[in-house]
Amino acid sequence: MSKKIGDVILDLQNISLRFGGVKALTDISFDVREHEIRAIIGPNGAGKSSMLNVINGVYHPQEGRIFWHGQERKNMEPHMAAQQNIARTFQNIALFKGMTVLDNIMTGRITKMKANFIEHALWFGRAKKEELEHRKKVEEVIDFLEIQHIRKTPVNRLPYGLQKRVELGRALAAEPSMLLLDEPMAGMNVEEKQDMCRFILDVNDQFGTTIVLIEHDMGVVMDISDRVVVLDYGKKIGDGEPDEVKNNEDVIKAYLGAGH
Amino acid sequence: MLYREAGQFKTTYAADQQIFPIRQDRIGIIALLVVAFIGVPLFASEYWFSAILIPFLIFALAAIGLNVLTGYAGQLSLGSAAFMAVGAYAAYNFQLRIEGIPILVSFVLAGLTAAGVGILFGLPSLRIKGFYLAVATLAAQFFIVWCLTKFPWLSNNSSSGVISTQKLIFFGHELTTPVEKYLLVLSVVVVLALAAKNMVRSSTGRAWMAVRDMDVAASVIGIKLMPTKLLAFAVSSFYCGVAGAMYAFCYLGSVEPDGFSLEMSFKILFMIIIGGVGSIMGSFLGAAFILLLPIFLDVALPFVADLFGLPFASATVSHIQITVFGALIMFFLIVEPHGLARLWQIAKEKLRLWPFPH
Ligand SMILES: Nc1ncnc2c1ncn2[C@@H]1O[C@H](COP(=O)(O)OP(=O)(O)OP(=O)(O)O)[C@@H](O)[C@H]1O
Ligand SMILES: [Mg+2]
């Protein structure tokens, strides 16, 4: 790969997260470097999604420290992550069901729109100008993801694969510096997976976006990621480049044990 | 061939983002406004103004208010009538206590007062959702009506809180005839309806809908839940407050706290269910439907009974009314949750394809 991987931009140290008695994450440390594709893998219930939720402030770990561009982050709320240019997609599609594709993706740019509700109500000042400017950006995303034909369709009428793509579009609309993807290819057929892989690689390549990816398809993971972290029962059991991880004894055991 | 988008290619995003992107819709709206402002005043009778058109417009405004909160922002409320009461009593007090305050200014201040109260009762929405929130707004309904009865200052010490509204002075001219009041109400409603439409088609509205559809995803995108929900409560209550002020000043002339009952809140809720949850136009359709249905049944039922030679008691009319309402609400909740506005949409989509459905 020709791209340049940069410095560590996200550093998680000794993260532990509990839900009552359930230990979702235990003493996990790992980092993410600028411009890389970082995969998180592990059997079901390993704590992968929880990890993403910690990164963007949906869950608050009881222990551990998080550094973002060298600064320690405290009391993170999800909307603050958005302001820091971290976007994400969800394992179970979390689109805004009552809205069209266009509106869903427009919503992705909401932190960049400054007009207030009075300007909107009277349609003066920044309101109209912003709608147009951001529409242009959104159309670029729509072109990039090849979904021009469905832009006015309500998302709940779309097939699953396209919904996943729209959700990626909504995240991309924010022009994130870091993109968290929770199983973006789950439940897709081979062709849809290929498309999605292509989009992820293009995003990474063209925009330099750092990507943290959860995926069960080992072929895909080993193919596209630069480094892989492996979780099992909330513990980190492997971390490194795909080849390293593939031959790690603990990882092989965990996967065999979980019936994969 | 009458209703088409074909041939109307949008060459700019500006054209695609107009408030009514389809030309026939624009023409339709303009025609409607011309009829409402010029045609109706020429032809309608006093009865139509004071018994049908004025209350229709006022309830449509309240329904828009509730639709902002429930339809767009997804926060169920059973307190719409109470916020109307706040508006009515606030406007009365502003007129009473501030010498020479213009009527429109007191309407706006009434709306703002209602917005403030709305924010207060919206605070629980930061913690609770759905059914529980509905119960919390029910508290608003009873508490506000209780306050208005309990504190005589609010009604200038009148017995049991009844107020008679002051004269409607509009730029030095007193509005007395129904048609003048109608034109005042119509102007206010048109302006506020357009403002609401503008809000819901811009990022304010998208933030509301995002919170409604999936609040976790909304906050991950960068939407702050608290200000977004409270803004919906404020805007919604503002609309209800202005509606309430006009209800007192332009419709009844004299109101009492108990007039703003839970039943009235439900009536407004039914308007948006039948008209269309999450639709500004639906608010008008629903208000028209709910207000006109009883009038229609009043006329039609005796006629039908007569036709079949059945005995007829006037109590039957109200029983049948309730039954019909119940049936319709169940129908819309189950079959078409987006109400009449959605049926209208479907009709338009069909018309767009007509006469070649494929
Ligand atoms: N909000 C929550 N409340 C309680 N327990 C939770 C919550 N979120 C996650 N957990 C628990 O934490 C553990 C890890 O869950 P998580 O969703 O992170 O796993 P995962 O690796 O993403 O699994 P999958 O591959 O099935 O998506 C599980 O035992 C889960 O039940
Ligand atoms: Mg998961």
Side-chain angles (χ1 to χ4, degrees), chain A residues 20-241:
Chain A
V22 181
K23 286 184 176 169
L25 299 169
T26 312
D27 196 26
I28 293 187
S29 303
F30 78 100
D31 58 29
V32 181
R33 293 174 166 277
E34 194 164 20
H35 307 311
E36 77 173 336
I37 298 183
R38 184 74 150 125
I40 303 177
I41 64 171
N44 291 106
K48 305 181 294 296
S49 298
S50 302
M51 201 68 238
L52 288 198
N53 282 324
V54 166
I55 293 176
N56 74 345
V58 176
Y59 292 164
H60 302 110
Q62 281 82 6
E63 280 149 50
R65 307 170 72 183
I66 303 173
F67 293 87
W68 173 247
H69 286 284
Q71 299 264 347
E72 183 162 11
R73 269 178 14 184
K74 292 241 156 84
N75 303 325
M76 185 74 164
E77 290 299 325
H79 66 84
M80 293 151 108
Q83 281 155 4
Q84 296 176 348
N85 273 330
I86 303 178
R88 79 172 281 186
T89 66
F90 292 81
Q91 182 168 358
N92 307 310
I93 297 172
L95 285 170
F96 306 126
K97 294 190 293 292
M99 297 158 74
T100 62
V101 170
L102 184 62
D103 277 334
N104 264 279
I105 302 179
M106 281 291 272
T107 312
R109 295 194 66 79
I110 214 151
T111 48
K112 299 185 161 37
M113 299 177 82
K114 300 290 173 245
N116 61 38
F117 75 101
I118 293 178
E119 291 171 89
H120 288 145
L122 305 175
W123 209 245
F124 82 99
R126 293 171 289 191
K128 187 175 174 185
K129 199 170 127 256
E130 270 187 358
E131 284 285 310
L132 290 178
E133 269 172 28
H134 291 276
R135 172 73 186 271
K136 220 149 105 203
K137 269 277 173 236
V138 163
E139 289 291 337
E140 283 171 25
V141 172
I142 289 177
D143 287 344
F144 177 79
L145 293 176
E146 297 154 18
I147 48 177
Q148 298 91 339
H149 57 296
I150 52 164
R151 57 159 87 71
K152 295 285 176 75
T153 312
V155 288
N156 58 4
R157 286 200 217 155
L158 296 176
Y160 181 83
L162 275 181
Q163 290 196 12
K164 283 249 168 199
R165 206 187 282 189
V166 174
E167 205 189 3
L168 175 64
R170 187 179 66 186
L172 288 179
E175 298 175 84
S177 64
M178 181 181 278
L179 184 57
L180 314 176
L181 302 173
D182 198 342
E183 305 198 15
M185 293 165 232
M188 286 188 168
N189 63 34
V190 177
E191 222 171 276
E192 290 172 324
K193 274 189 189 178
Q194 280 172 354
D195 280 340
M196 190 54 92
C197 270
R198 181 163 56 85
F199 294 135
I200 293 172
L201 287 171
D202 281 354
V203 168
N204 181 244
D205 208 41
Q206 289 181 22
F207 312 130
T209 312
T210 309
I211 290 170
V212 181
L213 168 79
I214 297 176
E215 186 46 55
H216 278 296
D217 186 323
M218 282 309 131
V220 169
V221 170
M222 297 304 164
D223 233 27
I224 70 172
S225 43
D226 298 305
R227 288 192 299 158
V228 182
V229 54
V230 192
L231 304 183
D232 190 23
Y233 292 112
K235 299 208 175 77
K236 184 167 104 170
I237 56 168
D239 190 354
E241 301 199 349

Side-chain angles (χ1 to χ4, degrees), chain B:
Chain B
M1 283 306 188
L2 290 171
Y3 187 80
R4 311 248 115 145
E5 278 185 274
Q8 302 182 26
F9 295 110
K10 310 291 189 307
T11 48
T12 61
Y13 297 135
D16 197 35
Q17 291 185 191
Q18 294 174 72
I19 187 162
F20 302 108
I22 298 174
R23 191 195 308 135
Q24 283 87 340
D25 283 346
R26 284 199 295 279
I27 296 171
I29 291 286
I30 291 169
L32 204 63
L33 288 177
V34 170
V35 169
F37 276 102
I38 300 169
V40 170
L42 286 178
F43 298 107
S45 66
E46 287 219 342
Y47 168 79
W48 266 82
F49 285 122
S50 43
I52 295 170
L53 292 170
I54 291 176
F56 155 68
L57 288 168
I58 289 171
F59 276 104
L61 188 63
I64 292 174
L66 182 59
N67 230 330
V68 162
L69 185 61
T70 303
Y72 287 94
Q75 313 296 308
L76 186 55
S77 164
L78 295 176
S80 321
F83 296 118
M84 286 178 74
V86 172
Y89 279 77
Y92 170 78
N93 278 292
F94 284 120
Q95 283 284 315
L96 180 75
R97 293 169 207 284
I98 303 175
E99 189 74 40
I101 184 176
I103 193 75
L104 283 182
V105 173
S106 62
F107 284 180
V108 171
L109 291 176
L112 292 176
T113 310
V117 178
I119 289 175
L120 211 61
F121 283 98
L123 288 173
S125 74
L126 309 179
R127 292 255 144 200
I128 53 180
K129 292 183 192 177
F131 176 71
Y132 297 98
L133 180 62
V135 173
T137 59
L138 203 59
Q141 170 69 45
F142 290 118
F143 181 73
I144 289 169
V145 170
W146 176 81
C147 275
L148 292 173
T149 330
K150 181 78 187 167
F151 299 105
W153 184 84
L154 295 170
S155 53
N156 202 23
N157 304 316
S158 92
S159 65
S160 67
V162 183
I163 53 170
S164 293
T165 58
Q166 295 87 348
K167 288 177 187 160
L168 274 172
I169 311 280
F170 193 71
F171 289 109
H173 170 73
E174 186 182 350
L175 307 184
T176 46
T177 64
V179 64
E180 287 170 330
K181 291 178 186 169
Y182 162 79
L183 286 172
L184 175 67
V185 173
L186 179 66
S187 310
V188 172
V189 171
V190 166
V191 169
L192 288 181
L194 287 176
K197 181 84 190 165
N198 280 336
M199 276 188 272
V200 300
R201 74 193 174 108
S202 59
S203 62
T204 296
R206 283 194 289 268
W208 286 338
M209 291 186 273
V211 168
R212 171 195 71 190
D213 286 345
M214 185 70 71
D215 53 3
V216 176
S219 61
V220 163
I221 277 175
I223 295 171
K224 293 179 194 142
L225 297 186
M226 181 168 82
T228 305
K229 285 182 183 178
L230 291 183
L231 178 64
F233 270 95
V235 171
S236 165
S237 308
F238 179 89
Y239 276 67
C240 287
V242 174
M246 295 199 298
Y247 183 79
F249 278 77
C250 306
Y251 177 43
L252 291 182
S254 156
V255 291
E256 56 175 336
D258 287 336
F260 298 94
S261 59
L262 180 60
E263 204 182 322
M264 190 155 138
S265 289
F266 269 112
K267 199 154 126 182
I268 299 166
L269 182 62
F270 293 158
M271 285 175 187
I272 72 167
I273 291 174
I274 289 183
V277 174
S279 160
I280 300 296
M281 187 185 62
S283 312
F284 286 93
L285 295 177
F289 195 89
I290 296 271
L291 292 177
L292 289 179
L293 186 70
I295 299 174
F296 171 76
L297 289 178
D298 264 346
V299 179
L301 286 177
F303 179 76
V304 173
D306 209 37
L307 214 61
F308 293 98
L310 296 169
F312 193 79
S314 57
T316 323
V317 178
S318 62
H319 291 157
I320 293 181
Q321 261 183 32
I322 292 171
T323 316
V324 172
F325 269 148
L328 278 170
I329 284 155
M330 291 213 284
F331 168 81
F332 278 109
L333 282 177
I334 295 165
V335 181
E336 190 44 83
H338 295 289
L340 291 172
R342 177 76 192 128
L343 294 180
W344 171 242
Q345 198 72 35
I346 293 172
K348 286 208 299 191
E349 273 170 27
K350 293 249 154 75
L351 202 58
R352 236 177 252 196
L353 299 172
W354 185 85
F356 309 110
H358 294 293

